[in-house]
Amino acid sequence: MIPTMIVFGLVFGRWWRLTLPFAAVVWDAWLLADGVMGIELGLIGAALLAMANAGVGVLVHQGVLQGYRWLRRGSSRRPPATTAA
C-alpha cells in the first residue's frame, strides 16, 4: 500500500507539516483495524515508513508547485513585445 501514502502526500502536500504526522497516525490505525499488526514496537517503524512514503508525495507536490511559481514569475518579468514601426 505504498502508493496510497504517496498519493496521500501528493494530494495534501501543500500542508506538509500536518500531512506527514497524520499519514503516520492513519497508517497505524489502518494496520490495527485490519488486524495486520497488534500494539507492538513494529508500529513505530510502520509509522516512520508511512511518513517517508507520504514525504515522497509531498516532495513531488512541492516541486511541481515551485516549478509552477517559477514559470509564472518568469513570464511576468519578460519585457513587453515591441512592434516595428
Side-chain angles (χ1 to χ4, degrees):
M1 298 306 288
I2 292 171
T4 303
M5 288 293 106
I6 293 174
V7 170
F8 187 79
L10 280 170
V11 172
F12 298 109
R14 182 164 175 86
W15 306 282
W16 64 271
R17 289 184 182 106
L18 294 173
T19 299
L20 295 179
F22 190 71
V25 170
V26 167
W27 186 252
D28 281 352
W30 196 344
L31 290 175
L32 288 171
D34 281 347
V36 175
M37 294 182 81
I39 304 283
E40 57 190 61
L41 192 59
L43 278 177
I44 295 172
L48 292 174
L49 287 173
M51 286 176 64
N53 291 327
V56 170
V58 167
L59 285 174
V60 171
H61 178 98
Q62 290 292 322
V64 169
L65 186 63
Q66 291 300 321
Y68 171 74
R69 288 177 180 164
W70 180 78
L71 287 173
R72 201 169 117 200
R73 184 175 49 240
S75 66
S76 65
R77 291 185 181 179
R78 292 186 185 133
T82 57
T83 58

